[in-house]
Amino acid sequence: MTISSYNPADPADLVVAVEAPGAAGVAAAVARARAAQPGWLAIGAAARAAALGRAADAVEANAEELVALTVREVGKPVVEARGELARTVAIWRYYAQAAFAPSGAVHEPAAGEGLLLTRRRPYGVAGLITPWNFPLAIPTWKAAPALAVGNTVVLKPAPEATACALRLAELAGLPEGVLTVVPGGAEEGAALVAATDVVSFTGSTGVGRAVVAATAERGIPVQAEMGGLNAALVLPDADIAQAAAHLAAAIAGYAGQKCTATSRVIAVGDAYEPLAEALAKALAATPAADPARSATACGPVINEAALDRLTSAIGSATAAGATLLAGGRRAERDGWYLEPALLENVPADHPLRTEEFFGPVAVLLHAADLDEAIALANDTRHSLSTSVHSRDLDVALAAADRLDAGMVRVNAPSSGVDFHLPFGGAKAASYGSREQGQAVLDFYTASRTVTLLPAGGTR
C-alpha cells in the first residue's frame, strides 16, 4: 500500500508518497530497535543527553525548512508552525537533561544490615503512534523521554504527517535502530502494538480503545490520549472582550484541530448576550485563509472527508433548529477550508454537543448559574481541558476544583500545553499515566526492588 500525503491548502500538491512496510516491515524495524537498545542504554546518561542535544541543534538549524514542511503537509498556519518548531527544540533539550534524572532511591531495611534499592530501568522498545496535528512536537514529546531513559523507539506517524516524521527522524541523527519511522496505516499500527514493549498513542477514541485492549491482552504498559470535548465557562463578571478573543483563538486556531480546542461555550447568566455578540464578531474576524500567510490563524482542515463531516454536522444542526451566529460555510478558495462556526440552540442530543469533531466549530450554551455551567461542562466522557473566565479568582478556583477536566485554564484559552507539566484528560479522554514533564519518565521505565546483603549474611 502506498501512503500519500497531500497539502490541505492545495489538494493537487502531493507532499510525499511512500510504500507502507506492512506487518513484516514493522516487525523488522522492531527487531532492529531491539538489537540496538542494549548499546543505547550502555553508552550512559551523558552520551544519551549529548545525542538528544545534537538532535535539538539539528532541528533548530533547519527550522525554516521544517516550518515550511509543516505548513505544507498539515496546513498549520505559519505562526503556529514556528511556535511548534520552537517547542520541539525545547522538548529535545528538556529531555536531554532528563537522562540524568534519579532512577531510584535507597531505603532502610526493616531489620539487620544491608541496603534496599528501588531502581527504574527501560522496558526496551517503545512503540509510538502519533497524530498529524502536531507533526513535530508530539513525536518529540513521546520519543525524547523514552530515549533519554534508555529505550529505543519505533514511531508510526499518521499518514497525513509522514513527511514531517521522516524528516524529523533524519535530522535527529541518532544511531541505527535507535529512532525508526515506519509509515503506514492501521496494519502497521496494529503490528507495532503487537511487537513493542511499551506503547504511547495519541489519536481517535475508537482506535485508542483498540490499542488499550491490545496492550492489556499482552500485559504491557500503555498510555492513550484520545481527544476532548472541551468547554469554556464565561461568568457574568468576566472581561467579555478578552474572553471572546481567547475563545475565538481556541475555536478557530489551526481550524480547531487540537485536542484542547474549545467546542462548547457555556455563558453564565447575563454573560450570554454580550458574549454571543462579541464571539461572533471575533470569529468573523478570523477567516479561513492561506496558512502560509503570517496573518492567518485559521487554515484549512486536514482533508476533504473532515470538511464533509463538519459541514454535514452543521447542516443537520440547523435543520434541527440551531442558529448559525457566525461562519459555517466552505470558503470560496481551493483547498479544504471552513469558515469558523458558532451555533446556538443546538439540541442536547445532537452530535455537535456530544462528540469531538476536530474542526473550527463551537456551540453556545446558556447556564442560569455556575452550578448549572459546571454540570454542563462535566456532561461528557471526554474531559481534557476546560477554561474558566472570571475576574473573581475565588470563584474561578472553586470552579476548577469541581470540573472533571484533566486541565483547567483560568482566563486563558482551553488550547495550550506546557510541555514541562503533566498532560492528559479525565474519564475517556485519556488512559494510563500522564504524558510530558517528569511524570512520563516513570511511564517509560519499570521499577525494580533490589536487596543487597553483606556476603555471608544470614538474612
Side-chain angles (χ1 to χ4, degrees), residues 93 115 119 139 212 290 325 392 406 452:
R93 289 183 174 146
L115 289 174
R119 194 178 188 197
V212 169
D290 182 356
L325 300 179
D392 191 327
L452 296 176

Side-chain angles (χ1 to χ4, degrees), residues 301 303-322 324 328-330 337-338 341 343 346 350-352 355 357 361:
V301 297
N303 54 37
E304 188 172 18
L307 182 58
D308 289 344
R309 185 174 65 253
L310 289 160
T311 54
S312 176
I314 292 168
S316 70
T318 55
L324 265 171
R329 295 170 295 278
R330 293 178 186 240
Y337 292 92
L338 178 70
L343 300 94
V346 176
H350 191 275
L352 282 177
E355 300 174 14
F357 272 81
V361 180

Side-chain angles (χ1 to χ4, degrees), residues 150-207:
N151 297 283
T152 51
V153 165
V154 180
L155 164 68
K156 193 210 80 67
E160 297 87 348
T162 299
C164 285
L166 289 169
R167 185 60 176 142
L168 178 67
E170 181 181 26
L171 287 170
L174 296 170
E176 175 70 23
V178 171
L179 173 59
T180 305
V181 174
V182 288
E187 178 185 356
E188 286 75 19
L192 189 64
V193 171
T196 48
D197 304 308
V198 56
V199 172
S200 182
F201 167 89
T202 300
S204 70
T205 298
V207 176

Side-chain angles (χ1 to χ4, degrees), residues 210-234:
V211 168
V212 169
T215 52
E217 180 70 22
R218 294 187 57 219
I220 65 170
V222 63
Q223 58 183 193
E225 293 299 331
M226 297 172 282
L229 190 65
N230 306 305
L233 282 61
V234 182

Side-chain angles (χ1 to χ4, degrees), residues 21 103 170 192 238 251 259 275 278 312 333 390:
S103 62
E170 181 181 26
L192 189 64
I251 294 166
C259 58
L275 180 64
S312 176
R333 57 170 64 242
S390 171

Side-chain angles (χ1 to χ4, degrees), residues 335-363:
W336 297 306
Y337 292 92
L338 178 70
E339 297 296 352
L342 179 67
L343 300 94
E344 65 177 354
N345 300 321
V346 176
D349 60 350
H350 191 275
L352 282 177
R353 286 185 60 172
T354 61
E355 300 174 14
E356 182 187 43
F357 272 81
F358 225 57
V361 180
V363 299

Side-chain angles (χ1 to χ4, degrees), residues 2-8 10-18 69 72-73 159 163:
T2 300
I3 299 297
S4 300
S5 177
Y6 291 89
N7 180 349
D10 179 7
D13 177 22
L14 175 63
V15 179
V16 69
V18 295
L69 182 59
R72 182 185 175 205
E73 186 168 36

